[in-house]
Amino acid sequence: MNPLMPWCLIPCTQSVQPFVRDTLEHVIFPVSKLRYIVDLSTYNGSIEKALKRLALPCLDPSFTVNQRFILTAMLVSDKDPCALINFLYEYKEEIRNRNITPEVCTDILEYFSEHIERISENVNVEALLNKIRQIPLHVNVSGHNISLDSNASILVLDDYVSNKIVLDGVEEWANASDTILLKATHHLTKLYAKVGFTTEKLEAIDVYTNHLLRKFDCLPKANHQAHLLFVRNELLAKSSTFNTQQNNLIAVLKTVSFVEGNDGILFTASHFKDPCNELLKLMCDPNDFPGGPFSEINWWHFLVIAGIQTKVTPKMVLQFAKSIEEEVGRKGVTEEISKNLKW
């Protein structure tokens, strides 16, 4: 068979450059580029709409093709999901630079998930799965389409968890902690499992226990309060007893430096004394107590859970006695010292 000549041309449509949504131009592609042209007429439903929204090179719908025309077999069509992977991979930079909605990304990935068995039968399955990782159609919890070709840790979160957790500062946290939080529908479970990402069903409390709190310093300080409020009010709502998941969260919380001192420096809760204990307030220095919002009564129960010091210890009593002794030596027995001694 003679090679195809470059002057054999195929009429196509594609987005104008630079990309403008819903604005197409008519172009002519050489036959040698046939495998990078999609025949939208072979698709239907959400995948057809998604591919149309991408506005990548498509066979011009006004061009009537005889079904026996041999070149039609070379076009990207619904008959071969692997060809669509190669097509999207070819245009991955164009996809990266376009304002694509999460819905478009999800519809395309769900199409691959639906056809994952057929993709798996291909002799080049590993190469195809690697291309899927690199195509920027994966949606993070912030709603941005990204590729998964970095060495970052990947967490796949379902819709419910993605919508439940606090997103304030999460993108900055993800960048600083080298973690990607993917938002995925249940239809994507098979695809992400095949690609090699965990299929473990994570709940919101798991995300905080195993990830967000363990790298809490990666979260911008301005966003700390929003996440701590969520932990306090939702994950550790006041209860007489806690379950195993909550106890695991509390164990991690006790190691997190989130309580602000009067000097603005962050410490673990156990660094401070209970501001509601009158005896401790009498015996200890003001800097021994939480500052900022954590000095308010509505944080007291949470700080107790997190390990704030609530009891007077023999060591504290001894230190207090020494401080009184030193003060008496300097000033004599003043009215204030006399009052303190009555405690």
Side-chain angles (χ1 to χ4, degrees):
M1 181 182 291
N2 294 325
L4 295 169
M5 300 302 292
W7 45 261
C8 297
L9 304 177
I10 303 296
C12 300
T13 62
Q14 66 177 14
S15 170
V16 296
Q17 301 298 326
F19 175 74
V20 178
R21 179 173 289 179
D22 299 328
T23 305
L24 300 177
E25 63 179 355
H26 294 272
V27 293
I28 301 295
F29 268 60
V31 169
S32 60
K33 290 282 189 179
L34 267 176
R35 62 196 182 106
Y36 301 129
I37 301 171
V38 65
D39 184 359
L40 279 179
S41 68
T42 65
Y43 296 89
N44 56 66
S46 58
I47 182 63
E48 178 192 8
K49 294 177 182 177
L51 292 174
K52 189 177 293 185
R53 297 295 287 178
L54 280 183
L56 295 171
C58 300
L59 185 68
D60 192 324
S62 64
F63 179 59
T64 304
V65 181
N66 188 310
Q67 291 301 312
R68 289 182 293 179
F69 183 38
I70 190 171
L71 297 184
T72 59
M74 300 174 63
L75 292 167
V76 178
S77 72
D78 187 46
K79 295 178 181 179
D80 186 2
C82 298
L84 182 59
I85 295 173
N86 290 322
F87 169 79
L88 294 172
Y89 179 79
E90 174 70 14
Y91 296 107
K92 63 181 184 296
E93 293 308 317
E94 285 86 343
I95 295 172
R96 193 185 312 277
N97 295 322
R98 293 185 180 179
N99 185 20
I100 302 168
T101 66
E103 291 74 23
V104 166
C105 298
T106 299
D107 286 341
I108 295 173
L109 291 180
E110 286 186 352
Y111 174 83
F112 290 142
S113 191
E114 181 184 344
H115 293 87
I116 194 63
E117 284 78 15
R118 289 178 61 189
I119 295 170
S120 300
E121 293 169 358
N122 191 288
V123 293
N124 297 314
V125 58
E126 289 304 321
L128 290 169
L129 293 176
N130 189 48
K131 286 181 178 180
I132 289 176
R133 294 186 190 98
Q134 296 182 61
I135 301 170
L137 289 172
H138 307 275
V139 181
N140 64 18
V141 293
S142 299
H144 299 142
N145 59 298
I146 59 173
S147 59
L148 304 177
D149 50 356
S150 69
N151 293 321
S153 301
I154 309 290
L155 297 180
V156 182
L157 309 181
D158 64 26
D159 278 335
Y160 175 75
V161 174
S162 299
N163 294 327
K164 186 175 177 63
I165 65 172
V166 176
L167 297 181
D168 299 19
V170 162
E171 193 153 10
E172 292 85 348
W173 175 90
N175 291 332
S177 65
D178 202 21
T179 306
I180 294 174
L181 298 178
L182 280 185
K183 184 176 183 178
T185 66
H186 70 278
H187 295 296
L188 294 178
T189 302
K190 288 195 297 183
L191 175 66
Y192 281 132
K194 192 68 179 179
V195 168
F197 303 133
T198 179
T199 57
E200 176 188 3
K201 184 173 176 57
L202 295 174
E203 298 179 23
I205 193 169
D206 301 318
V207 175
Y208 278 88
T209 301
N210 300 323
H211 304 284
L212 279 170
L213 287 179
R214 291 183 186 273
K215 297 180 179 179
F216 202 65
D217 58 324
C218 292
L219 192 70
K221 189 176 179 181
N223 302 122
H224 283 192
Q225 194 80 346
H227 288 271
L228 292 170
L229 281 169
F230 177 73
V231 173
R232 185 190 76 182
N233 298 339
E234 299 293 332
L235 303 181
L236 295 177
K238 284 187 178 180
S239 173
S240 56
T241 58
F242 293 111
N243 60 32
T244 301
Q245 281 182 303
Q246 290 174 316
N247 283 325
N248 290 338
L249 173 63
I250 291 168
V252 174
L253 184 65
K254 289 180 177 180
T255 69
V256 178
S257 296
F258 69 89
V259 186
E260 187 175 324
N262 292 320
D263 54 5
I265 298 176
L266 299 179
F267 298 92
T268 61
S270 61
H271 176 82
F272 297 100
K273 311 293 193 301
D274 179 2
C276 293
N277 186 311
E278 293 299 326
L279 186 54
L280 285 175
K281 287 172 68 175
L282 171 68
M283 295 172 60
C284 301
D285 187 274
N287 289 325
D288 289 334
F289 299 94
F294 297 101
S295 61
E296 299 171 6
I297 188 64
N298 56 334
W299 282 102
W300 177 80
H301 183 71
F302 184 74
L303 291 177
V304 171
I305 293 172
I308 197 169
Q309 300 177 53
T310 59
K311 296 180 179 179
V312 177
T313 65
K315 184 178 179 180
M316 292 179 192
V317 174
L318 183 60
Q319 288 177 335
F320 179 62
K322 286 183 177 179
S323 67
I324 292 292
E325 183 180 15
E326 291 172 358
E327 192 170 358
V328 169
R330 291 195 309 269
K331 302 179 180 179
V333 181
T334 64
E335 183 178 344
E336 182 179 353
I337 292 175
S338 178
K339 179 181 178 182
N340 290 342
L341 289 173
K342 292 178 181 179
W343 279 88

